[in-house]
Each structure stands twice: as structure tokens, then as C-alpha cells.
Amino acid sequence: MSVIADKILPRTNEMPSASDIDLANAPLDKVLRSRPDLVQPLIRTLSSLGSSIDEADLHLMQSNAPQVFETLFQVIAGAYYMDARVRRLLGYDGQRALSLPRAGFGAEELLMEMMETPPRYRSC
């Protein structure tokens, strides 16, 4: 898995490669725990690829079997971007719940005024 992942996510000057973060262990396990529907497709894909794969094989898979390639890419990229070191290098500290300022977005006062008026409707 690391060999394939390194073909998709190689090392750059700024970012580690997939094998640098040991993607095939804890990060991969985390992805597959959160997306168990990808386990069987990933197993089928990896068993069909064999141990020696090059970039041409990946390009061929992408054009001939796009859904298989998408599954492989989704698992590898998901595991890569879940790694704390990668997120730190990207400057991404995770999702945080943010609330709107209590002053509102400009329409609450109109809504409150409308709700305080008596109902207006016609009975048929």
C-alpha cells in the first residue's frame, strides 16, 4: 500500500510523502473505521494491482476503471489529510464550531416584529 500511496502522494520540499507519515498503518485504519464501505473495494483493488506498480499503471487505472481509482485515491488522500503532521504543515487546525454574532445577521428584528403581530389569514 505504501508504494502505491507514494506514487499518488510523493514527497515534496514542503510536504512528507505517504510513507513518511506511515500512511498504511494508523491513518489508514482511521479512514477504514470511519468508512467501512471502502474496505472490500480497497482489498479488491490492492489484490488486483500486485506489488509492482508504476505511474503508468495508475494512469491506466484512472482511465479504464475510474471508480476503482477513485476508491483508491479517496482512501489514500483521506488517510494522508487525517494525519496531524500534514494538517499542521498545511496550517489547518481542524473544524471548529463557530456561532454567529448575537447581534444577528440583520433579519431577526424583522422576524420578531412579524411574529408579534396577530395572525392574518382568511378562513375559506
Side-chain angles (χ1 to χ4, degrees):
M1 177 77 173
S2 293
V3 173
I4 298 167
D6 276 347
K7 301 286 185 205
I8 294 175
L9 295 166
R11 180 182 303 116
T12 67
N13 291 336
E14 299 84 22
M15 299 299 291
S17 70
S19 61
D20 290 340
I21 63 164
D22 198 20
L23 180 132
N25 289 314
L28 180 63
D29 292 341
K30 193 173 182 180
V31 168
L32 296 177
R33 272 195 311 275
S34 64
R35 288 292 309 271
D37 59 306
L38 296 176
V39 172
Q40 289 305 315
L42 181 64
I43 290 170
R44 284 193 300 274
T45 300
L46 293 176
S47 63
S48 71
L49 289 176
S51 60
S52 62
I53 186 169
D54 58 16
E55 288 183 38
D57 295 329
L58 288 173
H59 288 293
L60 190 62
M61 179 196 297
Q62 187 175 11
S63 58
N64 292 344
Q67 291 170 328
V68 173
F69 180 81
E70 184 179 320
T71 298
L72 181 65
F73 188 83
Q74 187 175 17
V75 169
I76 290 171
Y80 186 77
Y81 291 112
M82 281 182 156
D83 183 73
R85 183 170 135 198
V86 170
R87 290 195 324 245
R88 188 177 63 252
L89 288 168
L90 290 171
Y92 177 70
D93 59 355
Q95 295 180 353
R96 293 177 291 168
L98 301 175
S99 59
L100 293 172
R102 291 326 241 172
F105 60 91
E108 287 94 350
E109 60 277 356
L110 298 174
L111 181 62
M112 294 308 292
E113 184 180 318
M114 184 188 80
M115 289 173 62
E116 290 169 357
T117 60
R120 289 181 245 157
Y121 58 88
R122 286 186 265 172
S123 57
C124 298

